[in-house]
Amino acid sequence: MNTIIIKRMRCYENEDDLGDDEIKLRIKADGHRGVTLRNSDFDNGQTWSINRSYTFEHKITLEVYDEDPLSSDDKLGMHTFDGRVSMYDATASFTRDESDYELIFDLIVAEDAPQLFEPKLGRLNIRDFFSRMGRGLLDIKQHRTRILEPSIYQIGNEVISLRETFNRHASQDGAKNNTASVREWVQTHCNFFSKKTYHSNKPRSSQRRTFFHGDNWHKVSNELSHQIAGFQEYSRVTATDNPTSHETRDWNWDLFPDPQFMYLLGEGMKTKGQGNEMVPFIHNESETGSFPVQWRPFWGEYITFWGRHVWDTGHAPVRTEIHPMHTMIREHTTASHIGDNGAIVPVNQAYIGMGLSGGFPNGTKTRWKHEFGGIPKGVTGDSKDCWATNLKKHPLKFKFYPPVKRPSPTASLVFNIKFCQHITVKDGEQLDDFLSLTQYDNPSKGGKHKGFRDWHSITGFTPIDTPINFQPKATLIHGPDGAPAYFEVEANLSGMTDIPVGYYAILECGWSELGFHLLQEYEVTFEEMKVNIKGSTFGNEWHLYYGVNGMWSAWWNGNIRAGKTFKKNTTHRVWVLDRMPLVIRDCGVEWYGTDWGNEAIDNINVVMKGPKHLDALNEDYIIGDPRHFSLIRSDNRSTRLKIRGQGRNRFTSHEWIINIERTQKHGYLESL
């Protein structure tokens, strides 16, 4: 028999606004009724010591309720675990209805009772924990469905250097880096079930201080920049934010961290799935007024970014996050004419965005001092609240891999700079002007009100082409077999005379030959959008973001009314490689002129699996709710769809007419 030891439960935020919670913990073994434990006086900051053990054969289910004598009990969450693997000091979070409870337990599998939930039982697979495609502790199904199938990024043979990995993390992982072996390093960095890995100094929520003082975040360790990388899952503009700690609303994105970055998660981290099927992710935010749409992550990309590592204490449940960021690398796979004689070949494309301002969270004197020696003369008012980054002190370095293996011994690895511009200011007064621009929060008015939301439309600040000495430099690196493997890319702005406030580059990396691969180009046209339901009779302004496979468009309109159709005809030309999907998304907010009380717009959510993307309504080739799709026209070259919003908010409703046409096809897949 397997054993679970329920050690204790912590309350970080109770569910009842009027008093203590009456908590009921129900434990069901192998589907039986089980036992129920109660704590009738549970409040914020308290710990309930339980220390009871229960046996089970196949599975154990934990359910938590807040009992209500006048109505049905409020269910705060449920987790089911099986007996596949042992876990010690594991946590299960219960966070429904804005509550935040954590249960700490041991789960001991019968046949290996003394065994911990370690990275691999027996031989340690380095690639599982140190590569971009590494799945760490996730099983194959979790990794495939959550990361691989919706991914728009591919990679050839990745070269792994443990020495480089350890050096990269040494500046931000503190004492955890003092390990005697690779196995120990993995245990302290990659095991999201263990307090040896995740941060356990979790503070309680401080909503009162947040409202009156703008005290939204507590630093996890320091005000230095922290790096994290992984696959992008969810990305959207938030509907509401606290105006005492924001000048503009945040852009939010969820990341499935690479296994080697699990140590940046906090106790009770957010997860997709329940029980043994949990996949941890970290939620991240940056203010939209300081965050051009060209830099914003898209579903399925591989992203690397740097920013402020904090506990978000402004609301329950309290979690760690990067908020804000200052440097973003978005990578996705596409195609480009960089092959021999201008041939079209698969490439990985990196969108690089670096910005001085990530937002205005208050309490930033330490950051200003570290980055600039103090607040520069001329920076005044709310601009002093900026969490600022001196980009001269942060040279960007990353490994840039091709999307596929080398197609032949004669193929060469090609690096291309497609675009590179930057913006600088001369002194503190100009810096204050720029920071003031990033605080405008009504982009539908146009002009300066767009802030720093669109790189190609910035009032008062014109980006210039970056001189070659400040453009990204690429060094070709050969792998252990002596063949070209990847480029080491560095962008160093330390020699700039003026103060850089923004830097934007698009880079490409691929082989000079196509090889045995299939490339298909599609024109995805967002033809028209119809507003079915508005959230309020007073709200007539929508901020909408939409796109496909990493290509974003933004639309801000102050003349919204129910039943109105807007002609857009926005076309994105995208290439897909082999079995890569087409990923179509939108998100937005109905804005009422303040950060309070806005409505999130329902969103479209479509993943068309490759290579038969145009079989759009075939359940084998589409991920999404089929009730939200209507086929208007389809043939072997194009598909025209009506796609209705879903999910996020019943108070708004919209739909798109989208035409998808395949315009080019090169190469082939041997299995087709």
Side-chain angles (χ1 to χ4, degrees):
M1 299 287 284
N2 306 306
T3 302
I4 189 169
I5 303 173
I6 308 296
K7 294 183 173 181
R8 59 193 176 278
M9 177 178 280
R10 296 172 181 166
C11 175
Y12 292 99
E13 191 74 21
N14 63 8
E15 188 267 345
D16 196 336
D17 293 331
L18 301 179
D20 299 342
D21 283 349
E22 294 76 38
I23 289 298
K24 177 172 66 177
L25 170 61
R26 183 174 293 163
I27 304 163
K28 298 179 180 179
D30 298 316
H32 301 303
R33 183 176 180 84
V35 298
T36 299
L37 306 177
R38 287 180 168 84
N39 185 334
S40 60
D41 188 19
F42 212 172
D43 200 3
N44 298 339
Q46 295 181 347
T47 298
W48 175 19
S49 295
I50 302 173
N51 294 319
R52 299 193 185 187
S53 62
Y54 305 92
T55 59
F56 65 99
E57 185 174 359
H58 300 294
K59 64 180 181 179
I60 189 87
T61 299
L62 309 173
E63 300 175 347
V64 173
Y65 298 83
D66 179 22
E67 292 188 295
D68 191 335
L70 301 180
S71 63
S72 59
D73 297 341
D74 297 320
K75 190 172 184 178
L76 306 185
M78 180 183 75
H79 291 278
T80 298
F81 299 91
D82 57 31
R84 288 183 296 170
V85 66
S86 296
M87 294 177 278
Y88 280 67
D89 284 321
T91 64
S93 294
F94 302 87
T95 58
R96 293 184 186 174
D97 293 339
E98 297 187 350
S99 64
D100 188 5
Y101 285 90
E102 287 177 2
L103 194 69
I104 294 87
F105 64 95
D106 295 343
L107 192 152
I108 306 171
V109 177
E111 56 267 29
D112 51 36
Q115 200 163 52
L116 298 180
F117 188 46
E118 293 184 350
K120 285 295 173 192
L121 308 179
R123 184 174 62 88
L124 183 67
N125 187 330
I126 297 297
R127 190 163 291 277
D128 275 350
F129 293 93
F130 294 93
S131 76
R132 295 187 175 194
M133 292 294 184
R135 61 185 178 91
L137 302 173
L138 304 182
D139 64 29
I140 295 175
K141 179 182 177 182
Q142 291 170 288
H143 191 252
R144 183 182 69 250
T145 57
R146 292 289 183 182
I147 295 175
L148 296 184
E149 285 187 349
S151 173
I152 57 173
Y153 172 83
Q154 295 192 29
I155 188 171
N157 271 344
E158 182 178 356
V159 178
I160 299 171
S161 168
L162 294 182
R163 182 186 300 275
E164 289 181 9
T165 300
F166 296 160
N167 288 340
R168 182 173 65 246
H169 290 272
S171 64
Q172 64 184 37
D173 60 4
K176 290 183 179 183
N177 195 53
N178 299 324
T179 56
S181 67
V182 174
R183 177 176 289 277
E184 185 180 356
W185 195 93
V186 170
Q187 291 170 352
T188 58
H189 289 72
C190 308
N191 185 356
F192 59 87
F193 272 114
S194 171
K195 64 182 181 182
K196 290 183 179 180
T197 289
Y198 61 73
H199 287 276
S200 56
N201 58 330
K202 177 177 176 177
R204 60 166 294 183
S205 173
S206 55
Q207 295 185 22
R208 184 174 301 174
R209 284 193 57 80
T210 296
F211 183 81
F212 290 105
H213 305 285
D215 185 17
N216 255 75
W217 306 278
H218 291 177
K219 63 184 180 185
V220 175
S221 56
N222 54 52
E223 291 289 351
L224 302 179
S225 299
H226 284 69
Q227 176 188 357
I228 192 169
F231 278 90
Q232 172 61 30
E233 199 263 349
Y234 160 105
S235 188
R236 69 170 177 86
V237 63
T238 189
T240 60
D241 261 322
N242 180 8
T244 64
S245 56
H246 296 77
E247 293 297 335
T248 62
R249 280 162 295 111
D250 283 326
W251 188 273
N252 300 344
W253 67 98
D254 291 347
L255 180 81
F256 293 126
D258 283 352
Q260 59 186 278
F261 288 99
M262 291 293 175
Y263 70 95
L264 294 175
L265 297 168
E267 187 174 15
M269 77 286 293
K270 291 183 177 181
T271 61
K272 306 288 184 180
Q274 300 290 327
N276 289 115
E277 300 301 317
M278 290 191 296
V279 179
F281 67 92
I282 187 168
H283 178 80
N284 311 281
E285 304 180 4
S286 220
E287 285 196 32
T288 53
S290 302
F291 198 8
V293 67
Q294 292 85 359
W295 301 358
R296 300 180 191 179
F298 197 90
W299 286 258
E301 290 182 318
Y302 184 84
I303 63 174
T304 306
F305 57 100
W306 289 257
R308 188 188 193 196
H309 190 212
V310 295
W311 292 99
D312 183 355
T313 58
H315 49 79
V318 173
R319 300 289 187 260
T320 58
E321 60 185 37
I322 301 296
H323 189 159
M325 73 93 213
H326 61 76
T327 295
M328 172 73 68
I329 306 173
R330 304 169 42 205
E331 295 185 68
H332 55 250
T333 300
T334 179
S336 182
H337 290 276
I338 65 171
D340 291 336
N341 300 315
I344 190 78
V345 293
V347 298
N348 275 338
Q349 204 169 70
Y351 280 56
I352 297 174
M354 296 190 283
L356 180 144
S357 170
F360 301 83
N362 301 321
T364 59
K365 288 184 179 180
T366 301
R367 179 67 176 183
W368 276 110
K369 184 176 181 180
H370 182 270
E371 296 294 304
F372 291 93
I375 299 176
K377 184 179 179 180
V379 175
T380 62
D382 290 341
S383 295
K384 293 181 178 180
D385 294 331
C386 177
W387 195 80
T389 299
N390 186 347
L391 299 178
K392 296 183 184 182
K393 298 176 65 173
H394 297 268
L396 174 67
K397 296 181 180 180
F398 72 101
K399 294 180 178 180
F400 199 16
Y401 290 95
V404 296
K405 296 181 180 180
R406 193 180 191 187
S408 79
T410 61
S412 58
L413 196 56
V414 182
F415 173 80
N416 181 51
I417 300 176
K418 186 175 181 180
F419 178 93
C420 188
Q421 290 185 339
H422 71 279
I423 304 170
T424 59
V425 297
K426 291 187 178 297
D427 52 31
E429 291 185 0
Q430 283 193 1
L431 176 56
D432 188 68
D433 291 340
F434 179 80
L435 294 177
S436 297
L437 180 73
T438 67
Q439 298 173 41
Y440 284 99
D441 204 18
N442 191 357
S444 69
K445 289 185 176 181
K448 65 183 180 181
H449 295 275
K450 288 184 179 181
F452 191 36
R453 290 176 174 83
D454 183 350
W455 182 268
H456 302 295
S457 180
I458 310 168
T459 299
F461 296 88
T462 302
I464 63 173
D465 292 338
T466 302
I468 191 169
N469 54 318
F470 296 120
Q471 292 181 10
K473 304 294 189 299
T475 302
L476 179 62
I477 305 298
H478 292 76
D481 59 357
Y486 63 93
F487 288 103
E488 188 78 54
V489 177
E490 179 176 4
N492 191 332
L493 309 185
S494 61
M496 283 190 171
T497 303
D498 295 332
I499 304 170
V501 296
Y503 186 95
Y504 175 33
I506 303 175
L507 313 180
E508 295 174 332
C509 173
W511 298 104
S512 59
E513 301 172 9
L514 173 59
F516 296 107
H517 294 284
L518 174 65
L519 286 174
Q520 299 181 86
E521 185 192 48
Y522 289 93
E523 285 188 355
V524 180
T525 302
F526 292 77
E527 294 183 351
E528 61 184 50
M529 190 276 292
K530 180 181 179 182
V531 179
N532 294 322
I533 303 173
K534 287 196 317 107
S536 169
T537 56
F538 303 103
N540 61 358
E541 184 167 327
W542 277 20
H543 302 169
L544 193 64
Y545 303 87
Y546 56 98
V548 55
N549 282 41
M551 307 299 293
W552 279 112
S553 290
W555 182 62
W556 306 294
N557 190 286
N559 189 30
I560 297 293
R561 68 173 184 268
K564 187 173 182 179
T565 297
F566 296 86
K567 300 288 187 180
K568 297 303 298 174
N569 289 318
T570 304
T571 298
H572 292 294
R573 298 170 68 95
V574 296
W575 286 92
V576 289
L577 169 66
D578 295 338
R579 292 181 171 82
M580 268 178 48
L582 281 172
V583 180
I584 301 173
R585 293 286 196 272
D586 80 352
C587 62
V589 60
E590 182 171 297
W591 196 60
Y592 301 148
T594 176
D595 283 336
W596 296 107
N598 305 309
E599 294 289 351
I601 300 173
D602 61 335
N603 61 287
I604 63 170
N605 175 5
V606 184
V607 178
M608 297 178 175
K609 296 182 182 180
K612 300 180 181 180
H613 304 92
L614 297 182
D615 289 350
L617 298 185
N618 184 327
E619 62 182 11
D620 294 330
Y621 289 97
I622 198 160
I623 301 174
D625 189 339
R627 295 172 298 177
H628 292 265
F629 307 106
S630 298
L631 182 63
I632 299 175
R633 185 198 71 249
S634 182
D635 55 39
N636 63 349
R637 291 288 300 273
S638 66
T639 293
R640 194 164 184 253
L641 292 170
K642 178 187 289 185
I643 306 178
R644 293 179 291 278
Q646 56 183 299
R648 295 179 55 214
N649 197 322
R650 62 186 175 88
F651 298 108
T652 63
S653 173
H654 75 297
E655 60 189 45
W656 282 97
I657 302 295
I658 298 177
N659 189 71
I660 305 166
E661 181 177 358
R662 190 178 67 207
T663 53
Q664 294 189 61
K665 182 178 179 181
H666 296 270
Y668 65 95
L669 277 176
E670 292 179 310
S671 60
L672 287 181

